[in-house]
């Protein structure tokens, strides 16, 4: 019963962290609520697009309403380009953002004419969408699955170390192996497909996703080495906490970004510094 309870707690913590990371990530679709013709609607607009096709933006909107999408290149001084939404049926309309190169970003907002009133959504703080090359399912699915298992065994080992359950040493090794396979092998392969580079973290760049993966792996490597000859559960607890914290940071935050002026892909804090 005790063993089962530990597994359940570890699973709940892992699922909660995964959901939090997903919902707070900068590429997760942006949900918003609005009222048109005295009726309330909800829609989600994309913040991630593929380089091989235009990105579809769908609004739950009556056919009688006129909506326009305005977009421009991110961090580029240019006018917004308007695209009129077209009806899909009586309750939905669509517009398409143009496909862009890998790591390119666009910013956009939406205008809706509701009778004699013009309503703007995200005009002051436009939606930012980043483009990536398609990643094959046979690479992406194993990466996601193994990283989820790495988080699960990280939490499991941490809880076991906290209650002095002897299996924490075995699961420390399992976590280390999963972190290596998912984060340092499959992770770079996914990034190569998506943005053309295997690794943009330390020491080659400042990509936050790469760097947080490296931090988690090194923390578990130290915990494993410390516990090889004697029990040091505090090091495993520390590694589990560090991993939970770093992987709660939204995925793709400070990720790769195309600099339109130079044509080069920038990563991490370098691109942020270039704003000023």
């Amino acid at each position: 019963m005790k063993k089962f309870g530990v597994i359940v707690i570890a699973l709940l913590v892992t699922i909660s962290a995964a959901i939090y990371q997903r919902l707070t990530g900068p590429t997760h679709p942006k949900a918003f609520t609005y009222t048109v013709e005295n009726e309330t609607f909800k829609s989600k607009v994309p913040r991630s697009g593929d380089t091989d096709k235009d990105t579809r933006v769908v609004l739950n909107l009556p056919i009688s309403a006129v909506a326009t999408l305005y977009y421009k290149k991110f961090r580029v001084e240019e006018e917004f380009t308007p695209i009129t939404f077209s009806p899909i049926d009586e309750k939905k309309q669509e517009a398409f953002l143009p496909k862009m190169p890998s790591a390119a970003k666009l910013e956009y907002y939406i205008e809706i004419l509701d009778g004699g009133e013009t309503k703007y959504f995200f005009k002051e703080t436009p939606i930012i969408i980043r483009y990536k090359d398609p990643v094959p399912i046979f690479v992406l699915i194993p990466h996601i699955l193994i990283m989820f298992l790495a988080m699960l065994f990280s939490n499991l080992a941490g809880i076991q170390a906290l209650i002095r359950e002897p299996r924490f040493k075995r699961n420390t090794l399992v976590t280390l192996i999963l972190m290596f396979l998912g984060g340092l092998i499959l992770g770079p392969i996914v990034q190569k497909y998506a943005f053309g580079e295997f690794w943009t973290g330390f020491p080659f760049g400042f990509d936050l996703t790469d760097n947080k993966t490296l931090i988690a792996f090194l923390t578990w490597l130290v915990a494993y080495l410390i516990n090889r000859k004697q029990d040091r559960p505090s090091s495993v607890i520390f590694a589990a906490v560090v991993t939970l914290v770093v992987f709660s940071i939204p995925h793709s935050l400070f990720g790769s970004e195309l600099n339109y002026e130079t044509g080069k892909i920038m990563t991490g804090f370098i691109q942020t510094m270039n704003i000023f």
Side-chain angles (χ1 to χ4, degrees):
M1 231 12 233
K2 181 179 179 182
K3 178 182 176 181
F4 178 75
V6 169
I7 294 174
V8 169
I9 293 172
L11 185 60
L12 289 175
V13 171
T14 303
I15 292 174
S16 298
I19 292 173
Y20 173 80
Q21 185 195 64
R22 174 66 176 166
L23 294 179
T24 58
T27 59
H28 185 71
K30 179 73 173 179
F32 69 109
T33 303
Y34 49 98
T35 301
V36 176
E37 297 179 0
N38 297 318
E39 186 176 355
T40 300
F41 297 90
K42 293 181 179 180
S43 292
K44 291 183 179 181
V45 292
R47 293 192 288 180
S48 178
D50 291 330
T51 59
D52 62 344
K53 61 184 178 182
D54 295 342
T55 301
R56 186 172 182 241
V57 181
V58 178
L59 293 181
N60 293 311
L61 198 65
I63 193 172
S64 55
V66 178
T68 305
L69 183 151
Y70 292 86
Y71 77 91
K72 76 175 189 69
K73 294 175 183 176
F74 185 55
R75 301 197 213 277
V76 174
E77 292 295 329
E78 63 180 15
E79 296 296 321
F80 280 89
T81 299
I83 301 175
T84 303
F85 279 84
S86 301
I88 301 173
D89 54 38
E90 292 186 355
K91 289 290 187 178
K92 288 185 178 181
Q93 299 192 35
E94 66 180 359
F96 289 86
L97 289 164
K99 57 186 177 183
M100 300 294 290
S102 176
K105 289 184 178 181
L106 297 176
E107 55 182 309
Y108 67 93
Y109 67 91
I110 295 167
E111 174 192 85
I112 298 177
L113 299 180
D114 182 12
E117 184 181 0
T118 301
K119 298 179 178 180
Y120 293 100
F121 302 92
F122 313 112
K123 187 174 183 179
E124 298 301 321
T125 55
I127 298 293
I128 299 171
I129 179 171
R130 184 175 68 158
Y131 289 79
K132 58 179 176 56
D133 291 327
V135 179
I137 294 297
F138 65 83
V139 174
L140 186 60
I141 296 301
H143 166 65
I144 295 173
L145 178 60
I146 293 176
M147 288 308 297
F148 179 84
L149 289 175
M151 277 295 301
L152 176 59
F153 275 91
S154 169
N155 291 322
L156 183 59
I159 296 171
Q160 289 173 334
L162 185 64
I163 63 175
R164 299 300 193 269
E165 163 62 51
R167 278 183 288 257
F168 82 85
K169 293 180 70 172
R170 181 197 66 184
N171 288 329
T172 295
L173 177 59
V174 173
T175 302
L176 181 64
I177 293 172
L178 290 171
M179 199 71 68
F180 177 75
L181 292 175
L184 300 185
I185 299 297
L186 289 175
I189 294 174
V190 169
Q191 181 159 267
K192 177 64 175 178
Y193 274 110
F195 302 112
E197 295 288 343
F198 281 110
W199 186 263
T200 53
F202 180 85
F204 306 112
F206 296 87
D207 184 274
L208 190 56
T209 299
D210 285 352
N211 283 336
K212 71 181 186 181
T213 301
L214 180 61
I215 289 170
F217 173 78
L218 292 177
T219 305
W220 279 105
L221 178 60
V222 171
Y224 169 71
L225 294 175
I226 289 176
N227 282 275
R228 286 185 68 185
K229 295 184 178 180
Q230 53 185 322
D231 290 356
R232 298 290 186 183
S234 58
S235 64
V236 175
I237 296 171
F238 177 76
V241 171
V242 168
T243 302
L244 186 61
V245 170
V246 298
F247 279 97
S248 293
I249 298 172
H251 196 63
S252 298
L253 189 66
F254 297 122
S256 301
E257 179 183 325
L258 177 68
N259 186 310
Y260 287 104
E261 184 177 346
T262 64
K264 296 180 179 180
I265 294 179
M266 311 297 288
T267 61
F269 294 100
I270 292 178
Q271 67 194 26
T272 308
M273 293 168 60
N274 287 342
I275 300 176
F276 304 101

